[in-house]
Amino acid sequence: MGEFEVHRVRFFGLVPAGVRCLACSPRGGRLALGRTDGAVEIYNFAANYFQEKVIPGHEARSVEALCWAAGERLFGAGLGGAITEYDLAGLRAAHSVDGGGGPIWSMAANGSGTQLAIGCEDGSVKLFQVVPGGIQFERNLDRRKGRILCLSWHPSDTHIAAGSIGALRVLDVCSGQTVQRIMVNYHMRKVTRECVVWSIAFLASGTVVTTDSFGRVQFWDWQRGTLRESHTVSTSAVLSLAVSEKEDSIVVGTSAGATYQFQLLPVKMGSLEKRWVRTKPFQHHTHDVRAVAHSSTALISGGLDAQLVIRPLMEKMQKKGYEAALRKFTFPHRRLVSCARKARLLLFQFSQHLELWRLGSTNETGKDGEVLPLRRVPEHLVQLKSKGPEHIYCSCVSPCGTWVTYSTASRFHLYRVRYQGDSVGVTKV
């Protein structure tokens, strides 16, 4: 093997965007992931989960919730107050509709995928009809004080459970009225802080599952308004919740970076009576686990540490073992670094700007693995800022280092870079 130099690049100050929400497609073939910078990624469950598509972010478009509806149509909503449908072929936001209730905190599609329910800042739950080419506002359901942080449809599509600060409500879709309101802390005394219901799930049995800021996973009988079971899993908040298709397994994520699995198991061998039992705790994240999903074969979690962790259920695995089970996405799967070999330059891509650096150099030689002293340190030459709210999708520098180009979802930009001694000039073409 010939001799070569290895450059350790430690001046790329990339801060990856955390995972904000997850949504599995009803057919179970793809996973939609929304990040804190507004980007949306699509992962394909085939071939050991690969990143199939990336829709770049936008400064004016946050993504608080994602859901699939009407088959393979993907919708997103955020604090900008708009519902956006994504064009998965063109990798862009196809069109948006104003929700009419301020910032949108939550969104869910009914079982048939024909209706979307959104939870708004003003305390309203609004229904939208999914039609060819977009969505149409249908009507408002009963409005109460307090932002709607989470939503879940009953599998029969007749009721919606909504969680807010201190309470959960069950709304009748036909009449639009609140048929049950439950205070989540009615049985506790001397509570000095508000309890936030962060996530909710409405099971076919009539049980409403909630997670809250007190670190509890609670199971409610919505018709009687009574608490069936309560499990305290953490001293910090439980932020996310997902239920399996058979409704016999639940995964939750906490602000301490831990995920827990609950399973519906018989009280005794052969008994028909079943209870929810916490079975498997996992610690794969270092920050808040803001989103979880439950496919037929795996537990999926995403955190503010920007990691996507997919842990297949061990009972579904033929080959047992930690390495065979765990799948981690810990780095961007798009190329963010471009190299000009002849000019010894590196171009770094960020969401709204580019940085052009010249590599350091040395005159020394040494043995394998030896660190050589630099004659010239790395030099920051140019910073190009992107105009407009769209994030940069891709970029490149020519091998000679005199041309730099980048593109957003709608525009292509080309620059000429001129080097005159120690000065650098940039001209837009």
Side-chain angles (χ1 to χ4, degrees), residues 152-339:
S152 179
W153 288 77
H154 189 270
S156 65
D157 295 346
T158 58
H159 293 83
I160 295 175
S164 58
I165 298 176
L168 69 93
R169 289 190 291 147
V170 178
L171 300 102
D172 185 279
V173 175
C174 183
S175 66
Q177 298 301 311
T178 299
V179 293
Q180 184 64 268
R181 186 170 185 267
I182 302 173
M183 304 300 294
V184 294
N185 273 337
Y186 76 97
H187 61 286
M188 295 184 66
R189 298 179 179 178
K190 297 181 180 180
V191 178
T192 58
R193 57 190 173 97
E194 292 180 324
C195 179
V196 180
V197 179
W198 282 115
S199 56
I200 197 167
F202 209 159
L203 306 185
S205 62
T207 300
V208 177
V209 189
T210 61
T211 67
D212 57 42
S213 57
F214 287 177
R216 300 173 303 186
V217 179
Q218 296 184 305
F219 299 83
W220 304 88
D221 184 334
W222 80 266
Q223 292 179 322
R224 295 184 175 87
T226 57
L227 180 65
R228 287 181 173 175
E229 299 181 41
S230 180
H231 302 262
T232 301
V233 299
S234 175
T235 56
S236 56
V238 183
L239 301 173
S240 48
L241 163 70
V243 184
S244 66
E245 185 178 358
K246 295 182 179 179
E247 296 187 351
D248 58 356
S249 177
I250 291 175
V251 59
V252 299
T254 72
S255 60
T259 56
Y260 297 86
Q261 184 188 8
F262 286 81
Q263 286 184 296
L264 189 59
L265 302 175
V267 176
K268 297 180 182 179
M269 289 293 292
S271 174
L272 296 178
E273 183 184 358
K274 294 182 178 181
R275 296 197 64 178
W276 289 97
V277 179
R278 190 179 76 187
T279 57
K280 298 175 182 178
F282 307 113
Q283 185 79 40
H284 297 313
H285 297 275
T286 58
H287 293 70
D288 298 6
V289 181
R290 296 299 301 269
V292 291
H294 201 314
S295 71
S296 59
T297 58
L299 307 178
I300 306 168
S301 59
L304 291 185
D305 56 3
Q307 294 188 7
L308 173 66
V309 177
I310 300 173
R311 185 182 180 90
L313 300 169
M314 294 306 293
E315 57 267 24
K316 306 289 184 180
M317 299 291 295
Q318 295 180 354
K319 182 181 178 182
K320 308 297 181 182
Y322 182 83
E323 294 298 330
L326 191 64
R327 179 87 166 120
K328 268 192 177 185
F329 294 86
T330 58
F331 54 89
H333 281 225
R334 291 184 297 147
R335 190 181 71 170
L336 302 180
V337 179
S338 179
C339 179

